[in-house]
Amino acid sequence: MPSSHSALCIALTISVALCHGVADSLFPVCLGFSLIVMYDAIGVSMQALVLNLIIRDLFEGHPISQGKLKELLGHTPSQVLAGALVGIVIACFCCQRHLVSSA
């Protein structure tokens, strides 16, 4: 399943690039925001894995150590990439009228 967060952020970034240009000061802000969101989408599952290891070590022998956090949180890198590609397609489709009128 493609990451909807990545799709939204990349669609925003590409839309700003197409409508205002990459020289506009808004573009690097959108790009930075998109990169942070996509990095975070990939990193959530790794954080759950680390937390499970910490809980197991801290509470060894205690009933709380039996419970585990779900490690299927977040997205795989391919899901984030697929979301980014969906965002690019959506941005190009939505900004199509702007591109035609400016040419």
Side-chain angles (χ1 to χ4, degrees):
M1 178 67 88
S3 169
S4 61
H5 292 92
S6 297
L8 176 70
C9 292
I10 290 295
L12 173 68
T13 303
I14 298 297
S15 296
V16 167
L18 293 175
C19 294
H20 298 281
V22 293
D24 191 74
S25 62
L26 189 58
F27 177 73
V29 173
C30 292
L31 182 62
F33 175 69
S34 296
L35 293 175
I36 290 170
V37 167
M38 292 188 327
Y39 178 78
D40 187 57
I42 295 171
V44 170
S45 59
M46 294 304 297
Q47 292 169 1
L49 177 67
V50 170
L51 284 174
N52 280 333
L53 294 174
I54 291 171
I55 288 172
R56 188 190 70 203
D57 292 342
L58 275 176
F59 297 103
E60 193 170 339
H62 193 277
I64 198 171
S65 68
Q66 303 304 319
K68 289 180 71 176
L69 291 173
K70 192 171 148 185
E71 292 176 8
L72 296 175
L73 300 169
H75 294 284
T76 64
S78 60
Q79 289 173 330
V80 172
L81 179 64
L85 293 174
V86 168
I88 291 170
V89 169
I90 290 171
C92 290
F93 179 74
C94 291
C95 293
Q96 183 177 13
R97 187 175 59 177
H98 177 76
L99 293 174
V100 171
S101 66
S102 65

